[in-house]
Amino acid sequence: MIIISKFLNKTEKVEYYFAIMPDNMERPFIFGAQSAVPKLPSIAQWGASSRFGLDSLDTIEGKLWKDWRFSLEMLGASWVIPIIEESVIKDDVSHAVNEIISKS
């Protein structure tokens, strides 16, 4: 997994991220969140993520990630949006993965 962008919400004590799993071209994109409270014992720490591909952009699981464009903007990765949109038109997920990784 390659982390492309992170955002730490200090109020909620949560770190949100956008990542790519280049070895899974069916669902290479990941939106995730994990606890950011260093004093928590490991058993109390948590994390969650949603994986998606070009064919499932509008059906991403998790209420926070429903709007993938807004999610990328929140994570400081709005530059990824036109790459994904171009890849949807081309129907070429490998183009998106390679472009995003090369520009990160």
Side-chain angles (χ1 to χ4, degrees):
M1 180 170 76
I2 301 168
I3 302 288
I4 303 300
S5 187
K6 292 182 189 181
F7 169 72
L8 176 61
N9 184 319
K10 293 179 183 179
T11 305
E12 295 178 6
K13 297 184 178 149
V14 175
E15 182 175 62
Y16 298 100
Y17 63 88
F18 170 64
I20 292 184
M21 189 73 89
D23 61 344
N24 181 346
M25 289 303 206
E26 190 173 315
R27 301 271 186 266
F29 310 114
I30 303 168
F31 283 134
Q34 58 194 21
S35 61
V37 183
K39 294 180 182 179
L40 281 178
S42 60
I43 196 165
Q45 294 178 9
W46 61 270
S49 65
S50 292
R51 295 181 69 159
F52 59 98
L54 295 179
D55 63 337
S56 57
L57 290 170
D58 297 321
T59 58
I60 300 170
E61 294 178 6
K63 68 179 184 174
L64 180 65
W65 311 122
K66 289 292 182 189
D67 182 341
W68 63 273
R69 289 176 182 90
F70 174 79
S71 298
L72 286 169
E73 289 172 5
M74 177 188 77
L75 293 164
S78 58
W79 58 271
V80 171
I81 296 169
I83 296 171
I84 290 178
E85 289 173 337
E86 179 183 356
S87 297
V88 168
I89 293 167
K90 291 180 175 182
D91 193 25
D92 185 0
V93 71
S94 62
H95 169 76
V97 168
N98 294 330
E99 278 291 303
I100 293 167
I101 290 172
S102 74
K103 293 182 178 186
S104 65

